[in-house]
Amino acid sequence: MSSDRVFSEELIDKLTCTLELNLGGMIRNLPLPQTSPIHRHATNSSLGRIDTLPPELLLFILNLLDFQSLSRLSRASFRAKAIVEALPAYQELLEHAPDVLVALGRTRILRYHSAALLRQTLRTNRCESCFDFGAFLFLPTCERVCFQCLHENHALRVTTLNLAKKCFHLTNSHLKKIPVLHSIPGTYSVMFHVSRRKVYRLVSVKQVKQLAIEVHGSAENVARLLPPTPPQGMSRRDFWIFKWFHMAPLDPPACDLSRKPGRSNLVEDDFGGMASIRMPSLSGTSADRGRICKGCHLIDRLHSQGSLPTAVLENLVPQGIGPSRPLLALMNRLYSREGFLEHIKTCYGVDRLLAGWGK
């Protein structure tokens, strides 16, 4: 295998792809914000009464604000503009993830997440579901996620207000306690292709289930809301949607779900990709958007051709699990730079590519 090889940056670039091959179905291609060119400093400009606060306390307070509030504050005076633009959270998000801010604004989620939380998420790289590299931001909860967990983990799905109310016996008043995302019309795909031409009001299944437990008193009380069979007037599809939403895990599975046994009666995600966007991970001043292994794509191709060695397949796919889901997950997995350097030490597809290139 490749464990003893030294990989140059040029070779690493050749073995990876930073563009999503099958991952283009998230929020994307948003026009980026334009920053104000005004830099004049007025001697009498101030923040009013909060100017009397110690700098440390002022910084703490500003970091608790969301970017919508910070934007409004920056228009109050020249001094306010200078202070907001000097915030590390403001600088880092605007430099490395401006499209994330646009997406949060377009979906009306921006006001729910503080500048400090967004910066903290920007500076992490772990998927909140499986703990591997998470290259995407799930907008309602401001959590990092990976592509496979967006597909496999029902807690990371979004649904309409009406379906959420019926599924968990909630009211409009209850749902005011959690973020409501206004979708951006377009074409999306997280395994399933969906095209939506109108704006939907959507809520996170995870947050709805947490809210239901709060409203109804316990997880056991919420579980009793689901009938054992479809009631009169409910389609079987809606019944299974309700069932999977009730089974959505509130705690992280902390594993690769593609390596677990497949589940029957799964329902296509009607809004897959509409609440997530690619987000780089920032370490120091270096941003890592993740990279896909071309060797894993070769493995999937060899398997489809029937030419993948049995020993390799048995090493990649757990016993008793069909190969399609684990291999597809490998093909779609994004690695951090450090994660990829570990991965290529044992990737059969990388060895085949290097052999073919004579390296």
mmCIF file of all heavy atoms in Angstrom, residues 225-256:
data_model
loop_
_atom_site.group_PDB
_atom_site.id
_atom_site.type_symbol
_atom_site.label_atom_id
_atom_site.label_comp_id
_atom_site.label_asym_id
_atom_site.label_seq_id
_atom_site.Cartn_x
_atom_site.Cartn_y
_atom_site.Cartn_z
ATOM 1 N N LEU A 225 -47.458 9.539 20.581
ATOM 2 C CA LEU A 225 -48.212 10.298 19.585
ATOM 3 C C LEU A 225 -48.283 9.585 18.241
ATOM 4 O O LEU A 225 -49.164 9.855 17.433
ATOM 5 C CB LEU A 225 -47.584 11.688 19.377
ATOM 6 C CG LEU A 225 -47.483 12.591 20.610
ATOM 7 C CD1 LEU A 225 -46.750 13.872 20.240
ATOM 8 C CD2 LEU A 225 -48.864 12.907 21.161
ATOM 9 N N LEU A 226 -47.357 8.656 17.995
ATOM 10 C CA LEU A 226 -47.305 7.956 16.706
ATOM 11 C C LEU A 226 -48.171 6.709 16.759
ATOM 12 O O LEU A 226 -47.905 5.794 17.540
ATOM 13 C CB LEU A 226 -45.864 7.574 16.361
ATOM 14 C CG LEU A 226 -45.663 6.880 15.010
ATOM 15 C CD1 LEU A 226 -45.911 7.868 13.866
ATOM 16 C CD2 LEU A 226 -44.256 6.302 14.892
ATOM 17 N N PRO A 227 -49.192 6.623 15.935
ATOM 18 C CA PRO A 227 -50.039 5.419 15.930
ATOM 19 C C PRO A 227 -49.288 4.233 15.329
ATOM 20 O O PRO A 227 -48.370 4.408 14.515
ATOM 21 C CB PRO A 227 -51.219 5.830 15.044
ATOM 22 C CG PRO A 227 -50.673 6.902 14.154
ATOM 23 C CD PRO A 227 -49.648 7.644 14.964
ATOM 24 N N PRO A 228 -49.644 3.008 15.709
ATOM 25 C CA PRO A 228 -48.936 1.827 15.188
ATOM 26 C C PRO A 228 -49.187 1.578 13.702
ATOM 27 O O PRO A 228 -48.367 0.957 13.023
ATOM 28 C CB PRO A 228 -49.490 0.686 16.048
ATOM 29 C CG PRO A 228 -50.816 1.187 16.543
ATOM 30 C CD PRO A 228 -50.672 2.666 16.698
ATOM 31 N N THR A 229 -50.316 2.030 13.189
ATOM 32 C CA THR A 229 -50.651 1.873 11.766
ATOM 33 C C THR A 229 -51.200 3.199 11.241
ATOM 34 O O THR A 229 -51.649 4.042 12.021
ATOM 35 C CB THR A 229 -51.718 0.775 11.566
ATOM 36 O OG1 THR A 229 -52.880 1.105 12.334
ATOM 37 C CG2 THR A 229 -51.178 -0.587 12.001
ATOM 38 N N PRO A 230 -51.174 3.383 9.919
ATOM 39 C CA PRO A 230 -51.679 4.643 9.369
ATOM 40 C C PRO A 230 -53.140 4.868 9.723
ATOM 41 O O PRO A 230 -53.983 4.004 9.464
ATOM 42 C CB PRO A 230 -51.497 4.472 7.857
ATOM 43 C CG PRO A 230 -50.443 3.435 7.704
ATOM 44 C CD PRO A 230 -50.614 2.519 8.871
ATOM 45 N N PRO A 231 -53.472 5.999 10.343
ATOM 46 C CA PRO A 231 -54.876 6.271 10.670
ATOM 47 C C PRO A 231 -55.685 6.602 9.427
ATOM 48 O O PRO A 231 -55.131 6.806 8.336
ATOM 49 C CB PRO A 231 -54.787 7.475 11.609
ATOM 50 C CG PRO A 231 -53.511 8.144 11.252
ATOM 51 C CD PRO A 231 -52.576 7.057 10.810
ATOM 52 N N GLN A 232 -56.974 6.640 9.577
ATOM 53 C CA GLN A 232 -57.872 6.950 8.462
ATOM 54 C C GLN A 232 -57.479 8.289 7.818
ATOM 55 O O GLN A 232 -57.319 9.289 8.489
ATOM 56 C CB GLN A 232 -59.309 7.032 8.974
ATOM 57 C CG GLN A 232 -60.359 7.235 7.893
ATOM 58 C CD GLN A 232 -60.596 5.966 7.077
ATOM 59 O OE1 GLN A 232 -60.352 4.871 7.571
ATOM 60 N NE2 GLN A 232 -61.046 6.121 5.860
ATOM 61 N N GLY A 233 -57.313 8.254 6.503
ATOM 62 C CA GLY A 233 -57.012 9.477 5.763
ATOM 63 C C GLY A 233 -55.548 9.792 5.620
ATOM 64 O O GLY A 233 -55.193 10.739 4.907
ATOM 65 N N MET A 234 -54.648 9.042 6.268
ATOM 66 C CA MET A 234 -53.207 9.282 6.146
ATOM 67 C C MET A 234 -52.608 8.312 5.139
ATOM 68 O O MET A 234 -52.840 7.100 5.210
ATOM 69 C CB MET A 234 -52.502 9.129 7.493
ATOM 70 C CG MET A 234 -50.979 9.322 7.400
ATOM 71 S SD MET A 234 -50.110 9.049 8.964
ATOM 72 C CE MET A 234 -50.519 10.545 9.851
ATOM 73 N N SER A 235 -51.823 8.836 4.202
ATOM 74 C CA SER A 235 -51.160 7.975 3.216
ATOM 75 C C SER A 235 -50.042 7.198 3.902
ATOM 76 O O SER A 235 -49.507 7.618 4.933
ATOM 77 C CB SER A 235 -50.584 8.816 2.085
ATOM 78 O OG SER A 235 -49.494 9.611 2.547
ATOM 79 N N ARG A 236 -49.680 6.065 3.298
ATOM 80 C CA ARG A 236 -48.594 5.267 3.866
ATOM 81 C C ARG A 236 -47.279 6.032 3.820
ATOM 82 O O ARG A 236 -46.427 5.893 4.700
ATOM 83 C CB ARG A 236 -48.463 3.935 3.117
ATOM 84 C CG ARG A 236 -49.618 2.981 3.366
ATOM 85 C CD ARG A 236 -49.252 1.566 2.950
ATOM 86 N NE ARG A 236 -48.160 1.019 3.746
ATOM 87 C CZ ARG A 236 -48.311 0.446 4.926
ATOM 88 N NH1 ARG A 236 -49.507 0.371 5.495
ATOM 89 N NH2 ARG A 236 -47.260 -0.041 5.568
ATOM 90 N N ARG A 237 -47.110 6.860 2.789
ATOM 91 C CA ARG A 237 -45.877 7.648 2.691
ATOM 92 C C ARG A 237 -45.761 8.612 3.866
ATOM 93 O O ARG A 237 -44.711 8.700 4.510
ATOM 94 C CB ARG A 237 -45.832 8.421 1.376
ATOM 95 C CG ARG A 237 -44.515 9.162 1.150
ATOM 96 C CD ARG A 237 -44.511 9.874 -0.201
ATOM 97 N NE ARG A 237 -43.176 10.351 -0.533
ATOM 98 C CZ ARG A 237 -42.681 11.512 -0.124
ATOM 99 N NH1 ARG A 237 -43.409 12.328 0.633
ATOM 100 N NH2 ARG A 237 -41.448 11.880 -0.463
ATOM 101 N N ASP A 238 -46.850 9.346 4.161
ATOM 102 C CA ASP A 238 -46.824 10.272 5.298
ATOM 103 C C ASP A 238 -46.611 9.525 6.603
ATOM 104 O O ASP A 238 -45.905 10.012 7.504
ATOM 105 C CB ASP A 238 -48.121 11.079 5.370
ATOM 106 C CG ASP A 238 -48.128 12.242 4.398
ATOM 107 O OD1 ASP A 238 -47.084 12.500 3.766
ATOM 108 O OD2 ASP A 238 -49.186 12.891 4.261
ATOM 109 N N PHE A 239 -47.198 8.331 6.715
ATOM 110 C CA PHE A 239 -47.024 7.543 7.937
ATOM 111 C C PHE A 239 -45.552 7.200 8.154
ATOM 112 O O PHE A 239 -45.036 7.312 9.274
ATOM 113 C CB PHE A 239 -47.857 6.268 7.870
ATOM 114 C CG PHE A 239 -47.623 5.343 9.034
ATOM 115 C CD1 PHE A 239 -48.134 5.635 10.288
ATOM 116 C CD2 PHE A 239 -46.882 4.172 8.863
ATOM 117 C CE1 PHE A 239 -47.918 4.775 11.364
ATOM 118 C CE2 PHE A 239 -46.656 3.318 9.930
ATOM 119 C CZ PHE A 239 -47.179 3.612 11.182
ATOM 120 N N TRP A 240 -44.865 6.803 7.079
ATOM 121 C CA TRP A 240 -43.456 6.444 7.225
ATOM 122 C C TRP A 240 -42.580 7.669 7.446
ATOM 123 O O TRP A 240 -41.567 7.601 8.149
ATOM 124 C CB TRP A 240 -42.977 5.631 6.018
ATOM 125 C CG TRP A 240 -43.395 4.196 6.143
ATOM 126 C CD1 TRP A 240 -44.386 3.553 5.463
ATOM 127 C CD2 TRP A 240 -42.848 3.236 7.051
ATOM 128 N NE1 TRP A 240 -44.494 2.254 5.885
ATOM 129 C CE2 TRP A 240 -43.562 2.020 6.857
ATOM 130 C CE3 TRP A 240 -41.835 3.269 8.002
ATOM 131 C CZ2 TRP A 240 -43.276 0.874 7.580
ATOM 132 C CZ3 TRP A 240 -41.558 2.126 8.731
ATOM 133 C CH2 TRP A 240 -42.279 0.943 8.516
ATOM 134 N N ILE A 241 -42.973 8.812 6.869
ATOM 135 C CA ILE A 241 -42.256 10.053 7.174
ATOM 136 C C ILE A 241 -42.372 10.347 8.667
ATOM 137 O O ILE A 241 -41.378 10.640 9.348
ATOM 138 C CB ILE A 241 -42.822 11.236 6.357
ATOM 139 C CG1 ILE A 241 -42.448 11.089 4.880
ATOM 140 C CG2 ILE A 241 -42.297 12.566 6.900
ATOM 141 C CD1 ILE A 241 -43.057 12.154 3.993
ATOM 142 N N PHE A 242 -43.583 10.248 9.204
ATOM 143 C CA PHE A 242 -43.787 10.489 10.627
ATOM 144 C C PHE A 242 -42.955 9.517 11.466
ATOM 145 O O PHE A 242 -42.344 9.907 12.467
ATOM 146 C CB PHE A 242 -45.273 10.320 10.980
ATOM 147 C CG PHE A 242 -46.149 11.478 10.572
ATOM 148 C CD1 PHE A 242 -45.743 12.376 9.602
ATOM 149 C CD2 PHE A 242 -47.390 11.665 11.160
ATOM 150 C CE1 PHE A 242 -46.546 13.437 9.222
ATOM 151 C CE2 PHE A 242 -48.206 12.731 10.785
ATOM 152 C CZ PHE A 242 -47.783 13.606 9.810
ATOM 153 N N LYS A 243 -42.949 8.256 11.046
ATOM 154 C CA LYS A 243 -42.236 7.251 11.834
ATOM 155 C C LYS A 243 -40.735 7.528 11.872
ATOM 156 O O LYS A 243 -40.109 7.449 12.934
ATOM 157 C CB LYS A 243 -42.498 5.853 11.244
ATOM 158 C CG LYS A 243 -41.932 4.728 12.112
ATOM 159 C CD LYS A 243 -42.507 3.384 11.719
ATOM 160 C CE LYS A 243 -42.030 2.301 12.670
ATOM 161 N NZ LYS A 243 -42.641 0.998 12.384
ATOM 162 N N TRP A 244 -40.163 7.886 10.701
ATOM 163 C CA TRP A 244 -38.722 8.155 10.673
ATOM 164 C C TRP A 244 -38.377 9.428 11.433
ATOM 165 O O TRP A 244 -37.327 9.516 12.065
ATOM 166 C CB TRP A 244 -38.221 8.228 9.229
ATOM 167 C CG TRP A 244 -38.114 6.863 8.604
ATOM 168 C CD1 TRP A 244 -38.826 6.363 7.558
ATOM 169 C CD2 TRP A 244 -37.243 5.804 9.021
ATOM 170 N NE1 TRP A 244 -38.457 5.063 7.299
ATOM 171 C CE2 TRP A 244 -37.489 4.699 8.177
ATOM 172 C CE3 TRP A 244 -36.287 5.681 10.028
ATOM 173 C CZ2 TRP A 244 -36.803 3.504 8.316
ATOM 174 C CZ3 TRP A 244 -35.602 4.481 10.160
ATOM 175 C CH2 TRP A 244 -35.874 3.403 9.303
ATOM 176 N N PHE A 245 -39.251 10.426 11.394
ATOM 177 C CA PHE A 245 -39.012 11.644 12.155
ATOM 178 C C PHE A 245 -39.059 11.351 13.660
ATOM 179 O O PHE A 245 -38.277 11.902 14.431
ATOM 180 C CB PHE A 245 -40.035 12.727 11.800
ATOM 181 C CG PHE A 245 -39.797 13.367 10.453
ATOM 182 C CD1 PHE A 245 -40.677 14.311 9.953
ATOM 183 C CD2 PHE A 245 -38.687 13.036 9.691
ATOM 184 C CE1 PHE A 245 -40.457 14.913 8.722
ATOM 185 C CE2 PHE A 245 -38.459 13.621 8.440
ATOM 186 C CZ PHE A 245 -39.360 14.567 7.956
ATOM 187 N N HIS A 246 -39.979 10.484 14.080
ATOM 188 C CA HIS A 246 -40.039 10.106 15.488
ATOM 189 C C HIS A 246 -38.794 9.319 15.903
ATOM 190 O O HIS A 246 -38.362 9.404 17.061
ATOM 191 C CB HIS A 246 -41.295 9.268 15.765
ATOM 192 C CG HIS A 246 -42.492 10.095 16.106
ATOM 193 N ND1 HIS A 246 -42.848 10.402 17.405
ATOM 194 C CD2 HIS A 246 -43.420 10.699 15.314
ATOM 195 C CE1 HIS A 246 -43.939 11.152 17.403
ATOM 196 N NE2 HIS A 246 -44.316 11.341 16.141
ATOM 197 N N MET A 247 -38.217 8.578 14.963
ATOM 198 C CA MET A 247 -37.029 7.772 15.272
ATOM 199 C C MET A 247 -35.732 8.554 15.103
ATOM 200 O O MET A 247 -34.657 8.035 15.407
ATOM 201 C CB MET A 247 -37.004 6.537 14.358
ATOM 202 C CG MET A 247 -38.119 5.544 14.628
ATOM 203 S SD MET A 247 -38.180 4.225 13.371
ATOM 204 C CE MET A 247 -36.578 3.459 13.602
ATOM 205 N N ALA A 248 -35.807 9.801 14.651
ATOM 206 C CA ALA A 248 -34.602 10.602 14.424
ATOM 207 C C ALA A 248 -33.797 10.721 15.720
ATOM 208 O O ALA A 248 -34.347 11.088 16.758
ATOM 209 C CB ALA A 248 -34.986 11.982 13.905
ATOM 210 N N PRO A 249 -32.500 10.425 15.685
ATOM 211 C CA PRO A 249 -31.701 10.452 16.925
ATOM 212 C C PRO A 249 -31.369 11.876 17.347
ATOM 213 O O PRO A 249 -30.925 12.693 16.538
ATOM 214 C CB PRO A 249 -30.431 9.687 16.527
ATOM 215 C CG PRO A 249 -30.294 9.916 15.045
ATOM 216 C CD PRO A 249 -31.708 9.981 14.515
ATOM 217 N N LEU A 250 -31.568 12.174 18.619
ATOM 218 C CA LEU A 250 -31.191 13.484 19.136
ATOM 219 C C LEU A 250 -29.731 13.511 19.571
ATOM 220 O O LEU A 250 -29.119 14.576 19.643
ATOM 221 C CB LEU A 250 -32.101 13.872 20.315
ATOM 222 C CG LEU A 250 -33.584 14.063 19.956
ATOM 223 C CD1 LEU A 250 -34.363 14.506 21.184
ATOM 224 C CD2 LEU A 250 -33.747 15.057 18.821
ATOM 225 N N ASP A 251 -29.177 12.343 19.881
ATOM 226 C CA ASP A 251 -27.748 12.242 20.199
ATOM 227 C C ASP A 251 -26.986 11.810 18.951
ATOM 228 O O ASP A 251 -27.519 11.071 18.115
ATOM 229 C CB ASP A 251 -27.520 11.218 21.313
ATOM 230 C CG ASP A 251 -28.142 11.658 22.630
ATOM 231 O OD1 ASP A 251 -28.089 12.872 22.918
ATOM 232 O OD2 ASP A 251 -28.692 10.802 23.349
ATOM 233 N N PRO A 252 -25.740 12.247 18.790
ATOM 234 C CA PRO A 252 -24.963 11.879 17.605
ATOM 235 C C PRO A 252 -24.766 10.370 17.515
ATOM 236 O O PRO A 252 -24.394 9.736 18.510
ATOM 237 C CB PRO A 252 -23.624 12.591 17.815
ATOM 238 C CG PRO A 252 -23.871 13.629 18.847
ATOM 239 C CD PRO A 252 -24.976 13.122 19.706
ATOM 240 N N PRO A 253 -24.992 9.762 16.348
ATOM 241 C CA PRO A 253 -24.704 8.332 16.185
ATOM 242 C C PRO A 253 -23.216 8.025 16.352
ATOM 243 O O PRO A 253 -22.848 6.906 16.713
ATOM 244 C CB PRO A 253 -25.172 8.033 14.752
ATOM 245 C CG PRO A 253 -26.138 9.122 14.423
ATOM 246 C CD PRO A 253 -25.657 10.338 15.161
ATOM 247 N N ALA A 254 -22.362 9.036 16.070
ATOM 248 C CA ALA A 254 -20.906 8.922 16.255
ATOM 249 C C ALA A 254 -20.296 7.774 15.451
ATOM 250 O O ALA A 254 -19.364 7.111 15.908
ATOM 251 C CB ALA A 254 -20.561 8.774 17.739
ATOM 252 N N CYS A 255 -20.831 7.531 14.258
ATOM 253 C CA CYS A 255 -20.307 6.473 13.409
ATOM 254 C C CYS A 255 -20.709 6.741 11.963
ATOM 255 O O CYS A 255 -21.552 7.603 11.691
ATOM 256 C CB CYS A 255 -20.816 5.101 13.854
ATOM 257 S SG CYS A 255 -22.613 4.929 13.683
ATOM 258 N N ASP A 256 -20.091 6.017 11.056
ATOM 259 C CA ASP A 256 -20.443 6.096 9.639
ATOM 260 C C ASP A 256 -21.722 5.287 9.429
ATOM 261 O O ASP A 256 -21.708 4.063 9.471
ATOM 262 C CB ASP A 256 -19.292 5.531 8.796
ATOM 263 C CG ASP A 256 -19.574 5.600 7.300
ATOM 264 O OD1 ASP A 256 -20.702 5.964 6.908
ATOM 265 O OD2 ASP A 256 -18.656 5.280 6.523
#
